[in-house]
Amino acid sequence: MKRETTPVLTNDLTFQEYMDQRKLTIDKHLDHCLPPLHTPPEIIHQAMRYSVFPGGKRIRPILALTTGEAVGGDFQKLISLAAALEMIHTYSLIHDDLPAMDDDDYRRGQPSTHKKFGEAIALLAGNGLLIRAFQLLAELPAQAAEKESKVAVLDQICRAIGTTQGMLAGQVMDLVKKGKPFSAQQLEQIHSAKTGALIEASVCCAAFLSGASEEACKKLGTFGRRIGLAFQIVDDILDSSQASSKPPATYPAMYGFEASRKMAIELVEKALQDIEFLGSRGETLTELARYISVRRI
Ligand code: GRG
């Protein structure tokens, strides 16, 4: 792939333009990494591509690229990580929409994958994306000195989506709690596992791959954890105000809208203190974190 320079947010590039450029770059790489449409057996590759494109906000891959930029990472490695994160996220959305889970007919402005291709192909398309994501991570450049960071990335992502502290754990806790009372601590645990962990991993893994110091990785990890939780709180607020079918374990259900919005803003403000050490290199990451607390979609 051609070497690309990373756009830095400057006076002549607005935040929205930056996001649009990043999305284009990520989409180009996703297109490059996914099996072509007519690769047999065609139906699964159609379903994988249908689910990935045109896609959503691409927050996780953009976070990975922006974090990597802030700590001087290598674009080629970061873009592979970015594509893998988006594939994993898309897999979770396909499965989350299935009748056995949230049973949603629409996703990203089009019929959900199982509505278009049937449940069996949707299930398999999700699995296909997950497998392709890990293959991309396995193919990350592996010179001896970098082996350690590659293993750290694989470990972090497995934990972020696994059954003890990750996305699967969060989904199971959410299912089990549906319609039942829940404590503030349980709510934070569900949100952090279900959504926060993959967002945290997007930041942490970019830092690992960029060879950031242990201290920087730690601070970026705390930053990622805080913005990950803020992201899900805002998602709860947006979902509830759109009156969609949402399980009751939400921040607005527990604290009300105003208090939830305030909690998300406070979490992001705290997160910004974690990345003060980046100085002016952290400007774009700061904009991105602020966007998470005020976003409307
Ligand atoms: C293995 C059965 C099985 C499932 C995987 C379904 C599942 C485990 C986890 C669900 C996790 C999930 C879907 C969490 C919701 C996260 C969330 C806030 C989704 C919306 O993310 P955005 O706003 O979406 O980033 P876009 O479309 O913009 O990418």
Side-chain angles (χ1 to χ4, degrees):
M1 207 185 143
K2 214 168 84 229
R3 179 148 190 95
E4 190 167 325
T5 50
T6 51
V8 177
L9 200 58
T10 63
N11 289 340
D12 46 67
L13 196 63
T14 65
F15 178 66
Q16 193 51 55
E17 284 165 351
Y18 173 83
M19 295 294 276
D20 292 345
Q21 276 201 24
R22 296 281 69 174
K23 191 168 178 330
L24 275 178
T25 303
I26 290 157
D27 283 5
K28 206 168 106 193
H29 198 68
L30 282 165
D31 184 38
H32 171 79
C33 294
L34 285 166
L37 204 56
H38 298 297
T39 310
E42 273 186 41
I43 188 79
I44 189 163
H45 302 124
Q46 282 172 7
M48 285 160 74
R49 283 178 167 271
Y50 173 85
S51 313
V52 169
F53 300 114
K57 298 176 289 299
R58 309 292 197 221
I59 284 293
R60 296 151 191 81
I62 294 178
L63 257 176
L65 292 182
T66 310
T67 303
E69 280 159 30
V71 292
D74 173 71
F75 178 79
Q76 294 307 321
K77 287 187 221 159
L78 292 168
I79 192 68
S80 291
L81 169 68
L85 289 165
E86 186 61 24
M87 287 185 198
I88 292 170
H89 168 59
T90 308
Y91 130 79
S92 80
L93 297 180
I94 299 172
H95 283 196
D96 195 45
D97 289 339
L98 286 168
M101 300 271 177
D102 261 11
D103 194 11
D104 278 320
D105 291 353
Y106 286 92
R107 168 68 65 182
R108 295 172 159 176
Q110 59 184 15
S112 44
T113 310
H114 67 276
K115 278 282 154 189
K116 175 89 177 164
F117 293 91
E119 281 180 49
I121 292 297
L123 195 72
L124 296 170
N127 294 344
L129 287 171
L130 183 63
I131 293 165
R132 183 68 188 120
F134 276 97
Q135 191 176 27
L136 283 181
L137 297 174
E139 285 166 2
L140 282 169
Q143 289 92 346
E146 289 169 338
K147 254 194 180 142
E148 222 173 274
S149 68
K150 185 162 146 177
V151 171
V153 165
L154 285 164
D155 181 52
Q156 178 88 23
I157 291 185
C158 286
R159 273 188 288 129
I161 63 175
T163 56
T164 57
Q165 312 151 44
M167 186 165 73
L168 273 168
Q171 182 77 348
V172 173
M173 288 189 275
D174 205 0
L175 284 173
V176 170
K177 278 279 148 208
K178 218 171 190 168
K180 297 201 183 113
F182 51 90
S183 68
Q185 197 199 359
Q186 284 168 329
L187 182 62
E188 185 178 327
Q189 207 186 359
I190 292 172
H191 279 37
S192 297
K194 190 171 135 179
T195 311
L198 189 58
I199 290 183
E200 180 187 343
S202 307
V203 173
C204 278
C205 293
F208 294 156
L209 280 185
S210 306
S213 69
E214 212 179 306
E215 204 192 331
C217 287
K218 212 169 146 204
K219 286 184 175 159
L220 284 162
T222 314
F223 165 82
R225 200 150 44 249
R226 290 193 166 122
I227 61 166
L229 180 57
F231 185 88
Q232 182 58 51
I233 296 175
V234 174
D235 195 67
D236 280 355
I237 295 169
L238 295 174
D239 244 23
S240 316
S241 58
Q242 283 163 15
S244 74
S245 60
K246 187 79 190 171
T250 66
Y251 271 71
M254 173 152 286
Y255 301 102
F257 286 99
E258 270 322 297
S260 302
R261 175 80 62 194
K262 200 163 161 250
M263 285 166 103
I265 290 171
E266 280 171 7
L267 269 167
V268 168
E269 288 310 315
K270 263 199 193 151
L272 294 183
Q273 291 169 17
D274 301 322
I275 56 163
E276 270 170 3
F277 76 98
L278 289 171
S280 61
R281 289 173 301 145
E283 273 171 22
T284 316
L285 204 50
T286 298
E287 292 271 344
L288 196 47
R290 288 226 163 95
Y291 159 78
I292 282 175
S293 63
V294 298
R295 71 195 173 94
R296 295 276 174 254
I297 51 165

